[in-house]
Amino acid sequence: VFTQFGFISVLLVIVSLWSSQSQAGTYNLRLVGRNHHGPNMENRALGEANMIRVMIACGVETELDCKERILASVPDGAVDFIHYLETANAYAVYLDEQYLDHVQGVQSDPTRRHQHRPDSKEKPRIRTSSQEIPAGVHMVKAPQVWEKYEVKGEDVLVCVIDTGVNRDHPDLDLERLSGFDGAGGLVTPWWRDSDGHGTHVVGTIAAKDNTKGLVGVAPKVDVYAVRIVASEDDEIYSSDMVAALEIC
């Protein structure tokens, strides 16, 4: 489940990187990026360098050869590696902007923002002592599938890329929730959700079939959460979206 974050833009990023890799030596692409001061930059020889988030295409190089080539192109401390993107054979990095022309394969890493319609932020409380089947679950005819095939998502794993999930929500089955907490520049921990959107999405998919609250489309599925954004005000880099897809 890839929600709110521009799936088409991810495909365009990958195609763009492949295209640049097929044209050896032609890397004169202008950047659209957000300035960033990398972690602990004040402790490095370059001081408060102006770091810009970009992607660097590796062409026909291996992952290791590409990284060595990038490191050899700039002084120590001028690059912070964020992701290696296997799908595109590229690195997402923070690069000191004064060395942009020193590195081959530099591409922009466009950003998107979490989008909400104002009325979608309203959270009506359900005042009922019994379980309800939401209109959307009826719309996709989930109850008919449950009855006809006697399945509710058993032995299925759904990956949700969103704002995380509140694992303590009473309508979610903690035993069926897991997520990504590894390294690589994405937001952790997966089991927090300060925005609420990811929890809503997970509930739509997998809310428990019990005697209260709402029931999801497939209440017996297992959910794996990849938290790509902490709050609705955060920008999301295209490379983060690609990295999350690869994790899924």
Side-chain angles (χ1 to χ4, degrees), residues 162-180:
D162 211 298
T163 61
V165 58
N166 176 10
R167 64 181 179 183
D168 297 322
H169 193 288
D171 229 3
L172 298 179
D173 187 347
L174 180 58
E175 294 184 359
R176 295 188 179 277
L177 295 177
S178 60
F180 177 76

Side-chain angles (χ1 to χ4, degrees), residues 7-184:
F7 182 72
I8 293 176
S9 69
V10 173
L11 296 180
L12 290 175
V13 166
I14 296 173
V15 170
S16 174
L17 288 166
W18 279 339
S19 176
S20 70
Q21 292 167 3
S22 67
Q23 303 175 34
T26 57
Y27 297 109
N28 297 320
L29 297 173
R30 301 317 304 159
L31 301 176
V32 180
R34 182 171 60 133
N35 291 348
H36 173 84
H37 291 287
N40 300 320
M41 286 305 298
E42 66 278 5
N43 296 325
R44 298 182 178 179
L46 292 176
E48 289 291 336
N50 192 22
M51 306 292 280
I52 295 179
R53 179 74 171 257
V54 297
M55 289 183 284
I56 301 175
C58 294
V60 297
E61 298 168 297
T62 65
E63 176 184 353
L64 180 58
D65 287 344
C66 184
K67 187 171 186 178
E68 290 179 347
R69 188 252 303 171
I70 295 168
L71 289 170
S73 301
V74 298
D76 290 346
V79 60
D80 286 333
F81 289 88
I82 309 301
H83 308 297
Y84 172 70
L85 306 174
E86 183 178 1
T87 307
N89 192 22
Y91 277 100
V93 305
Y94 285 114
L95 181 63
D96 187 335
E97 67 174 349
Q98 65 180 311
Y99 298 106
L100 291 174
D101 293 333
H102 292 227
V103 183
Q104 287 188 329
V106 174
Q107 298 264 343
S108 63
D109 193 354
T111 59
R112 295 180 65 88
R113 285 190 179 276
H114 195 197
Q115 303 278 330
H116 280 308
R117 287 179 51 184
D119 58 351
S120 73
K121 294 293 288 182
E122 298 177 7
K123 299 177 181 178
R125 295 189 177 276
I126 300 170
R127 302 181 182 279
T128 177
S129 58
S130 60
Q131 179 175 270
E132 291 188 5
I133 300 177
V137 175
H138 277 299
M139 187 181 300
V140 299
K141 299 184 178 181
Q144 290 93 315
V145 173
W146 302 338
E147 182 176 356
K148 181 176 181 179
Y149 298 101
E150 298 183 346
V151 294
K152 292 185 177 181
E154 293 87 346
D155 300 319
V156 174
L157 177 64
V158 177
C159 186
V160 177
I161 302 171
D162 211 298
T163 61
V165 58
N166 176 10
R167 64 181 179 183
D168 297 322
H169 193 288
D171 229 3
L172 298 179
D173 187 347
L174 180 58
E175 294 184 359
R176 295 188 179 277
L177 295 177
S178 60
F180 177 76
D181 262 344

Side-chain angles (χ1 to χ4, degrees), residues 185-207:
L186 299 181
V187 183
T188 57
W190 63 268
W191 42 264
R192 288 183 181 168
D193 184 8
S194 58
D195 179 81
H197 187 272
T199 302
H200 176 88
V201 170
V202 172
T204 299
I205 298 167

